[in-house]
């Protein structure tokens, strides 16, 4: 590669700035799009172009070769600074970003999150202070001078974090400074317009003095550039002079051109007349003006808008709701399941060399939790056992009702405990043969139970996998839900539950208008097809909102009255911890030591561990928290226990995600050589290459901690909302026990993910 | 988001994080053969664990960057087997790469003029860094000493992620204070009073 090409191609992708810029871009474009219909004269196309140009300038400064060579050449670093201080801020402000950014945000976000802050006195006073021209000018000039002092300049060069702080301070003080010059609508000028001329000229004097110092100082000011390699023989002092010249000439132009434009504007009789009339529309405070404008353009914080519907996405939406797609995916999954069974029985019994060793325990679980995180319960939708279950109905009567005393989650909760125990006690993950038996057993159970019992009894009351998905999908961002409730209120046929023509209704007896949450929903889409009004969609919802709203749910009732569901949740939440803990070396060493010392078989040791980790400790902690909360809230134990237990779902989901994604990423490529082995056995192709790459990357731990963070925060928020519902007068005391429980869980989870973990299903050298 | 986009995003996320090298602290500047080389390390204060080593190779005569050389790095422990480095569990799974003949490649980091490699320094103490350089029949070697500090304790390396719940909780508390102030009528803005038209 030619050096010139290498320089031009020296771009980077700084994640945080890019995500921030993309977010602002999307919010502004959305807000501008809404505003240009309502107030087209205020938001012509050039405002959009200016704002996008400002964002592009920031991107250019932070990701282009300017950043890559800033450490080697002062002149390049100077251009980077000028872009951040003098080019990007005026462009961004020319887009009048205040209203577009607000309108670009979701309505609930503006109403519930932003609006209280905008109205908060201390924040208003702070904004008033920092947005005063004296403060803005001083901050801008100070930032410019301070960061060019050798000590601070070297500090920024030697530390990426300080370099980021420097760039951020340039951009922020630049925005403050140029705010008064650009005066973006609908802000109100603090000083008369003519004062902007000395405001700009004084800034230019400071800039000129600094530039002249750089140009005429006869020594290299910054030691880094003295030591830096001289590209093409450019001498450090020449580099410094050129940097000073860039600061002086183009830098001064940036101040002088707007100063001249303002002067011309003020001296021109026509322009001068127009200006005050524009400003006269602005009332006393920015906030009230903001409100007035919003109301004038028809924006209301409580107005409802159609929710985002996955079915409305071209092609993808039609695909997801198509019956043929679901059936095709079930067949694909069935083929995989049969291949797992056959390979489990007939293939090599080394985990990493067998489909039964790699696919179900690592990849299927990993992709399932990703689907739950980004969409919803899509595994149940394409479940291969459902396919077999449908076959069972053709062979058997399928008339009986599931026994009344088993119509709870107690039975499936017991199955979950048994499953987690067997998984560790008999190392199911390490035995393709046992894995094949489990899959076969599942097929048989689905076939027989749904062959004799109707109403999806297997899914609803038995399947432990289904219960896992039902619980975690409470924190998913999409829900099968009614689009327009009014249509349902006029409906008298109730096809979504009764069915219509050949289309059956919801067999799990979830009545759509009263469904409220993903709980017990298998995403079968029967209700979608049965509704004659096409009124059921896959709608975006606030993740976790159903954990705290206390709604009455069709076929489920209120969570507050369902201790069985609460226990199921507790088992799954603490099961996430025990399942991961059993794979880390400190715990496995304890297992081995105990088994050796007490001469006990390993299954007994594991059983004791799970009994303590999933039942005794969680039981004691949750009971203690419930007792404190119920005394303060003056509620019954069952209601308090059930309501607050649901709030732990995100915490457990975060741990499952952190754990299962670790295995998915580290063992990402392990199925490839297994498939190669099968091909080699059947078609005599090349021998498998067992040394595979993986998606593991150093920042995987960061991602795991972030997932735990998100789980903790959502759990805390849910618990706070429940506390407010149960005890509106003193929510804090009711909330504190659950705050502490969440924190303890988080710390234990972090400790676990910091430990070396078994690389299950992998061939280790 | 479809799976292709997700995959592309994932790769971008991974690659952009791996791409650490953009210079760093200068450890060595020397002439060898017909080359002038500059060695940078990142982070500036070396600690046991992953370290980014980048090298700028220039023609000694005109200081034009050389783009067609082959570089290999050797890291030799000189004294002490100090505190061992800690690796995230996902990295610890891979066997520790050898610390000799580590290839340094162009396009390693942000600055495409630099040859670079990320190496895992096993423990603190003094290490020797040797650079072997070859272009056609020309070869060169350079050496320098590196003083490696003990590794950062793992929780400290992730302090920003542990602080996140606290920061969010702090913002939430401020939000609740602001909300309470609004309910008490201390503000100018009462968005919630407006009903849909």
């Amino acid at each position: 590669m030619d050096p010139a090409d290498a320089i031009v191609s020296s771009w980077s992708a700084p994640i945080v700035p890019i995500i921030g810029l993309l977010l602002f871009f999307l919010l502004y474009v959305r807000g501008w799009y809404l505003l240009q219909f309502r107030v087209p004269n205020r938001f012509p196309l050039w405002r959009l172009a200016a704002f996008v140009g400002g964002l592009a300038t920031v991107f250019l400064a932070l990701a282009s070769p300017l950043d890559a060579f800033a450490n080697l050449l002062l002149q390049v670093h100077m251009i980077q600074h000028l872009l951040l201080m003098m080019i990007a801020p005026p462009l961004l402000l020319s887009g009048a970003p205040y209203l577009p950014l607000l309108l670009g945000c979701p309505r609930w976000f503006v109403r519930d999150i932003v609006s209280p802050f905008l109205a908060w006195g201390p924040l208003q006073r702070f904004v008033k202070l920092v947005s005063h021209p004296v403060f803005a000018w001083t901050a801008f000039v100070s930032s410019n001078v301070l960061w060019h002092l050798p000590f601070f300049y070297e500090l920024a060069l030697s530390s990426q974090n300080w370099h980021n702080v420097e760039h951020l301070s340039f951009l922020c003080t630049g925005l403050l400074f140029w705010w008064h010059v650009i005066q973006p609508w609908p802000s109100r000028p603090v000083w008369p317009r003519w004062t902007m001329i000395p405001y700009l000229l004084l800034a230019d004097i400071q800039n000129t003095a600094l530039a002249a110092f750089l140009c005429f100082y006869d020594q290299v000011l910054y030691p880094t550039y003295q030591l830096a390699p001289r590209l093409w023989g450019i001498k450090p002092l020449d580099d410094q002079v050129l940097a000073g010249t860039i600061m002086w000439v183009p830098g001064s132009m940036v101040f002088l051109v707007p100063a001249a434009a303002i002067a011309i504007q003020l001296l021109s009789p026509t322009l001068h007349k127009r200006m005050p009339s524009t400003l006269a529309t602005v009332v006393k405070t920015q906030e009230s003006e903001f409100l007035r404008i919003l109301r004038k353009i028809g924006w209301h914080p409580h107005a409802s808008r159609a929710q985002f519907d996955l079915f409305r996405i071209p092609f993808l939406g039609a695909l997801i709701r198509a019956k043929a797609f679901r059936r095709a995916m079930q067949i694909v999954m069935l083929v995989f399941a049969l291949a797992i069974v056959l390979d489990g029985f007939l293939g090599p019994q080394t985990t990493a060399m067998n489909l039964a060793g790699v696919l179900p325990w690592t990849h299927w679980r990993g992709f399932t939790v990703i689907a739950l995180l980004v969409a919803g319960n899509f595994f149940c939708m394409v479940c291969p056992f459902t396919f077999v279950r449908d076959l069972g109905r053709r062979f058997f009567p399928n008339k009986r009702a599931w026994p009344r005393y088993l119509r709870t989650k107690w039975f499936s909760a017991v199955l979950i405990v048994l499953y987690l125990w067997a998984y560790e006690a008999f190392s199911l993950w390490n035995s393709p043969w046992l894995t094949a038996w489990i899959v076969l057993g599942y097929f048989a159970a689905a076939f027989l139970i749904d062959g004799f019992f109707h109403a999806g009894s297997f899914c609803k009351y038995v399947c432990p996998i289904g219960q896992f998905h039902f619980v975690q999908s409470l924190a998913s961002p999409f829900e099968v839900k009614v689009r327009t409730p009014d249509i349902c209120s006029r409906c008298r046929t109730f096809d979504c539950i009764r069915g219509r023509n050949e289309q059956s209704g919801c067999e799990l007896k979830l009545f759509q208008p009263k469904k409220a949450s993903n709980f017990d929903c298998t995403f079968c889409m029967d209700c979608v097809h049965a509704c004659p009004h096409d009124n059921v969609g896959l709608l975006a919802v606030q993740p976790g909102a159903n954990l705290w709203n206390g709604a009455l749910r069709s076929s489920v009732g209120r969570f507050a009255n369902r201790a069985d569901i609460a226990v199921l949740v507790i088992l799954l939440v603490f099961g996430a911890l025990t399942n991961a803990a059993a794979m880390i070396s400190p715990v496995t060493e304890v297992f081995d030591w105990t088994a050796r010392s007490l001469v006990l078989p390993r299954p007994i040791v594991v059983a004791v561990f799970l009994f303590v980790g999933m039942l005794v400790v969680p039981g004691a902690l949750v009971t203690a928290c419930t007792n404190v909360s119920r005394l303060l809230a003056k509620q019954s134990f069952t209601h308090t226990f059930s309501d607050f237990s649901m709030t732990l779902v995100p915490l457990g989901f975060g741990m499952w995600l952190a754990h299962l994604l670790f295995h998915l990423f580290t063992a990402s490529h392990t199925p490839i050589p297994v498939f190669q082995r099968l091909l080699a056995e059947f078609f005599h192709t090349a021998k498998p290459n067992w040394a595979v790459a993986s998606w593991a990357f150093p920042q995987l731990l960061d991602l795991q901690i972030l997932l735990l963070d998100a789980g903790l925060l959502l759990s805390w928020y849910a618990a706070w909302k429940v506390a407010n519902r149960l005890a509106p007068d003193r929510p804090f005391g009711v909330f504190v026990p659950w705050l502490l429980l969440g924190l303890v869980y988080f710390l234990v989870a972090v400790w676990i993910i910091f430990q070396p973990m078994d690389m299950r299903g992998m061939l280790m050298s | 988001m479809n799976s292709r986009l997700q995959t592309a995003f994932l790769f971008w996320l991974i690659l952009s994080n791996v791409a650490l090298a953009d210079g760093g602290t200068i450890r060595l500047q020397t002439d060898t053969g017909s080359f002038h080389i500059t060695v940078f390390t990142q982070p500036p204060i070396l600690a046991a664990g992953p370290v980014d080593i980048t090298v700028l190779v220039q023609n000694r005569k005109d200081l034009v960057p050389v783009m067609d050389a082959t570089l290999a790095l050797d890291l030799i422990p000189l004294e002490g087997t100090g505190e061992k480095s800690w690796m995230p569990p996902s990295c610890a799974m891979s066997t520790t790469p050898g610390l000799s003949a580590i290839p340094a490649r162009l396009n390693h980091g942000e600055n495409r003029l630099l040859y670079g490699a990320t190496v895992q320094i096993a423990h603190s103490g003094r290490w020797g860094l040797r650079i072997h350089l070859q272009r056609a029949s020309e070869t060169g070697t350079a050496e320098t000493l590196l003083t490696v500090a003990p590794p950062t304790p793992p929780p400290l390396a992730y302090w920003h992620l542990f602080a996140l719940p606290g920061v969010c909780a702090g913002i939430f508390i401020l939000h609740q204070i602001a909300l309470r102030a609004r309910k008490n009528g201390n503000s100018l803005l009462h968005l919630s009073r407006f009903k849909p038209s």
Side-chain angles (χ1 to χ4, degrees):
Chain A
M1 189 192 279
D2 186 56
D5 291 340
I7 291 171
V8 173
S9 63
S10 291
W11 287 77
S12 61
I15 289 181
V16 175
I18 288 180
I19 290 176
L21 291 173
L22 269 178
L23 188 68
F24 278 113
F25 172 77
L26 293 173
L27 292 179
Y28 185 91
V29 168
R30 184 169 182 261
W32 178 86
Y33 180 77
L34 294 172
L35 282 164
Q36 57 130 6
F37 287 119
R38 295 171 178 185
V39 273
N41 56 330
R42 291 284 188 195
F43 288 93
L45 191 63
W46 69 263
R47 284 208 188 274
L48 173 69
F51 189 81
V52 175
L55 294 179
T57 308
V58 176
F59 178 74
L60 192 72
L62 301 183
S64 75
L66 290 174
D67 191 59
F69 288 87
N71 279 17
L72 300 179
L73 291 167
L74 177 59
Q75 53 193 289
V76 174
H77 209 164
M78 190 58 73
I79 295 172
Q80 189 186 32
H81 290 178
L82 291 189
L83 289 179
L84 289 172
M85 294 185 87
M86 299 174 188
I87 307 296
L91 281 173
L92 291 171
L93 294 171
S94 297
Y98 192 61
L99 285 184
L101 288 178
L102 273 174
L103 284 193
C105 292
R107 200 171 290 244
W108 65 266
F109 183 79
V110 177
R111 183 188 61 224
D112 298 336
I113 311 293
V114 179
S115 141
F117 281 124
L118 285 176
W120 193 28
L123 193 67
Q124 285 178 339
R125 286 192 288 278
F126 175 74
V127 170
K128 196 176 173 186
L129 171 74
V130 297
S131 63
H132 192 274
V134 172
F135 186 94
W137 191 93
T138 312
F140 179 78
V141 166
S142 307
S143 168
N144 197 14
V145 172
L146 199 75
W147 284 112
H148 286 97
L149 295 175
F151 173 79
F152 291 105
Y153 201 94
E154 287 294 320
L155 183 69
L157 283 176
S158 65
S159 155
Q160 188 57 46
N161 286 339
W162 279 111
H163 205 179
N164 295 339
V165 171
E166 180 196 46
H167 288 165
L168 195 66
S169 70
F170 281 157
L171 190 62
C172 292
T173 56
L175 285 169
L176 283 178
F177 176 84
W178 290 101
W179 180 277
H180 301 283
V181 180
I182 304 292
Q183 206 65 68
W185 186 78
S187 68
R188 184 170 64 97
V190 179
W191 284 351
R193 190 65 175 156
W194 66 265
T195 55
M196 286 304 106
I197 297 170
Y199 180 85
L200 285 161
L201 292 179
L202 285 170
D204 184 42
I205 289 170
Q206 169 275 320
N207 186 63
T208 304
L210 194 56
F213 184 74
L214 282 173
C215 284
F216 299 124
Y217 193 58
D218 58 357
Q219 289 174 31
V220 177
L221 200 58
Y222 307 116
T224 295
Y225 295 113
Q226 179 77 57
L227 296 171
R230 292 166 193 183
L231 292 170
W232 288 276
I234 298 171
K235 291 177 184 162
L237 208 53
D238 294 345
D239 182 36
Q240 185 170 296
V241 170
L242 195 54
T245 311
I246 290 167
M247 192 184 207
W248 198 334
V249 182
S252 288
M253 294 295 286
V254 174
F255 295 112
L256 295 177
V257 168
I262 291 169
I264 292 168
Q265 202 177 31
L266 289 170
L267 294 171
S268 161
T270 50
L271 290 172
H272 187 52
K273 262 186 186 174
R274 263 174 55 194
M275 225 174 55
S277 66
T278 308
L279 296 172
T281 62
V282 179
V283 294
K284 296 300 176 193
T285 68
Q286 288 175 21
E287 282 67 32
S288 52
E289 168 65 0
F290 157 68
L291 239 193
R292 195 186 63 77
I293 293 163
L294 283 180
R295 276 188 291 151
K296 198 175 168 185
I297 62 178
W299 186 92
H300 283 280
H302 289 276
S304 63
R305 189 188 294 164
Q307 287 168 283
F308 178 75
D309 188 345
L310 219 55
F311 288 157
R312 302 280 193 217
I313 297 177
F315 182 70
L316 181 70
L319 189 72
I320 293 172
R321 63 178 289 171
K323 285 183 185 176
F325 170 73
R326 186 185 175 215
R327 192 56 88 190
M329 290 306 296
Q330 282 177 336
I331 291 171
V332 170
M333 295 292 283
L334 184 67
V335 169
F336 272 118
L338 292 176
I340 286 167
V341 171
L342 288 174
D343 206 28
F345 284 134
L346 306 173
Q349 290 302 302
T350 306
T351 313
M353 299 172 82
N354 197 300
L355 280 182
V358 294
L359 285 184
W361 301 118
T362 306
H363 294 76
W364 165 70
R365 293 199 304 175
F367 285 119
T368 299
V369 289
I370 291 176
L372 285 163
L373 178 70
V374 300
N377 187 4
F378 275 87
F379 174 76
C380 284
M381 183 188 185
V382 299
C383 173
F385 306 122
T386 316
F387 188 78
V388 175
R389 196 189 68 163
D390 293 346
L391 278 179
R393 290 169 180 174
R394 290 174 188 263
F395 289 98
F396 297 112
N398 179 238
K399 298 286 184 200
R400 287 172 172 273
W402 187 250
R404 188 172 290 278
Y405 60 90
L406 287 178
R407 287 183 206 167
T408 62
K409 300 293 181 185
W410 292 113
F411 183 57
S412 45
V414 171
L415 288 179
I416 282 174
V417 175
L418 282 176
Y419 158 73
L420 289 174
W421 166 72
Y423 179 78
E424 279 311 319
F426 302 110
S427 300
L428 297 182
W429 54 273
N430 202 25
S431 170
W433 187 78
L434 281 176
T435 305
W437 271 116
I438 289 171
V439 178
L440 263 191
Y442 235 99
F443 277 129
F447 186 76
L448 291 172
I449 291 174
D450 272 18
F452 287 100
F453 300 98
H454 62 72
S457 304
F458 177 74
C459 299
K460 192 162 183 168
Y461 302 115
V462 180
C463 180
I465 298 173
Q467 309 313 314
F468 176 88
H469 295 153
F470 295 154
V471 169
Q472 313 308 337
S473 65
L474 287 168
S476 293
F478 287 93
E479 187 180 320
V480 178
K481 199 175 175 204
V482 165
R483 287 177 178 140
T484 312
D486 285 352
I487 294 175
C488 291
S489 66
R490 293 194 296 272
C491 177
R492 292 292 170 268
T493 54
F494 312 127
D495 305 279
C496 61
I497 197 159
R498 289 178 180 165
R500 179 168 60 103
N501 302 329
E502 292 299 302
Q503 175 62 55
S504 56
C506 180
E507 61 176 357
L508 280 86
K509 302 300 171 203
L510 301 172
F511 181 45
Q512 267 302 331
K514 293 183 178 174
K515 182 167 157 274
S517 88
N518 280 326
F519 200 78
D520 275 359
C521 178
T522 58
F523 274 45
C524 65
M525 307 297 165
D526 282 346
C527 54
V528 175
H529 298 296
C531 177
H533 312 288
D534 191 22
N535 194 34
V536 184
L538 193 50
L539 305 183
V541 292
Q542 188 181 356
N546 282 298
L547 299 171
W548 61 74
N549 61 16
L552 182 66
R553 293 164 171 80
S554 170
S555 183
V556 177
R558 289 186 203 281
F559 285 145
N561 299 328
R562 293 292 302 267
D564 56 330
I565 295 175
V567 169
L568 180 74
V569 166
I570 300 275
L571 287 173
L572 286 171
V573 169
F574 286 88
L577 277 189
T578 51
N579 186 242
M583 299 182 198
I584 59 172
S585 47
V587 175
T588 51
E589 282 165 16
V590 171
F591 282 176
D592 295 340
W593 179 84
T594 312
R596 268 198 320 271
S597 309
L598 303 176
V599 200
L600 284 173
R602 190 180 162 87
I604 302 289
V605 177
V606 173
V608 172
F609 170 73
L610 287 181
F611 181 71
V612 173
M614 280 179 72
L615 298 171
V616 177
V617 174
L621 289 173
V622 173
T623 304
C625 292
T626 304
N627 273 323
V628 174
S629 296
R630 86 179 172 92
L631 286 174
L632 291 169
K634 298 188 175 79
Q635 298 278 336
S636 73
F637 182 88
T638 310
H639 282 197
T640 314
F641 165 75
S642 304
D643 257 340
F644 275 108
S645 296
M646 298 307 292
T647 67
L648 299 173
V649 168
L651 204 51
F653 189 33
M655 185 60 200
W656 281 114
L657 277 164
H659 175 200
L660 298 179
L661 290 188
F662 170 81
H663 287 299
L664 179 66
F665 278 85
T666 50
S668 58
H669 289 48
T670 49
I672 296 171
V674 180
F675 281 114
Q676 286 174 340
R677 175 186 66 77
L678 290 170
L679 287 174
E681 282 176 11
F682 287 103
F683 303 107
H684 306 291
T685 53
K687 284 186 175 178
N689 175 16
W690 296 104
V692 289
S694 86
W695 287 341
F697 54 98
Q699 288 76 14
L700 182 55
L701 189 58
D702 299 56
L703 179 66
Q704 290 176 284
I705 300 172
L706 266 178
L707 289 168
L708 291 175
D709 282 347
L712 175 68
L713 286 168
L714 191 52
S715 275
W716 274 353
Y717 184 68
W720 173 252
K721 296 291 270 188
V722 170
N724 267 281
R725 180 160 56 78
L726 296 184
D729 297 335
R730 45 177 151 179
F732 189 70
V734 178
F735 165 68
V736 163
W738 302 94
L739 171 108
L740 295 175
L741 179 63
L743 192 62
V744 169
Y745 186 100
F746 175 80
L747 293 174
V748 175
V750 165
W751 176 76
I752 289 171
I753 63 169
F754 267 72
Q755 305 304 314
M757 189 169 264
D758 280 356
M759 294 299 154
R760 297 183 171 181
M762 295 181 72
L763 281 179
M764 300 301 290
S765 53
Chain B
M1 198 190 289
N2 65 32
S3 58
R4 278 188 185 178
L5 275 176
Q6 284 176 353
T7 312
F9 179 76
L10 185 74
F11 275 102
W12 169 69
L13 197 80
I14 293 166
L15 290 175
S16 56
N17 272 282
V18 170
L20 295 166
D22 62 337
T25 305
I26 295 172
R27 296 284 168 191
L28 173 70
Q29 266 195 318
T30 187
D31 293 331
T32 172
S34 60
F35 308 109
H36 177 76
I37 68 168
T38 310
V39 180
F40 305 86
T41 59
Q42 184 87 284
I45 299 168
L46 291 181
V51 170
D52 214 51
I53 299 175
T54 46
V55 184
L56 176 67
V57 183
Q58 293 167 283
N59 278 326
R60 195 170 174 177
K61 201 169 153 187
D62 53 10
L63 295 178
V64 171
V66 173
M67 309 295 291
D68 54 353
T70 306
L71 263 78
L73 312 174
D74 288 339
L75 272 162
I76 307 134
L78 295 179
E79 67 176 47
T81 49
E83 209 172 318
K84 285 189 176 172
S85 66
W86 178 87
M87 279 189 285
S90 57
C91 301
M93 56 170 275
S94 57
T95 51
T96 310
L99 291 177
S100 63
I102 304 159
R105 298 192 174 89
L106 281 175
N107 300 332
H108 169 70
E110 183 183 4
N111 190 327
R112 303 285 194 266
L113 288 181
L114 306 179
Y115 296 81
T118 303
V119 297
Q120 181 73 27
I121 297 188
H123 57 78
S124 58
R126 276 155 65 87
W127 290 72
L129 171 65
R130 188 180 297 144
I131 297 130
H132 303 280
L133 195 151
Q134 184 171 10
R135 184 173 65 170
S137 58
E138 297 170 274
T139 57
T141 306
E143 286 184 354
T144 187
L145 284 175
L146 301 177
T147 305
V148 178
T152 317
L156 272 187
Y158 295 89
W159 67 269
H160 55 292
L161 294 171
F162 295 133
L164 192 62
V167 170
C168 291
I171 293 171
F172 182 73
I173 290 168
L174 288 178
H175 177 265
Q176 293 297 305
I177 293 170
L179 203 62
R180 197 146 293 190
R182 192 174 71 173
K183 278 180 185 164
N184 292 340
N186 293 337
S187 78
L188 298 168
L189 183 67
H190 300 276
L191 279 178
S192 58
R193 288 183 186 170
F194 294 101
K195 300 294 176 198
S197 56

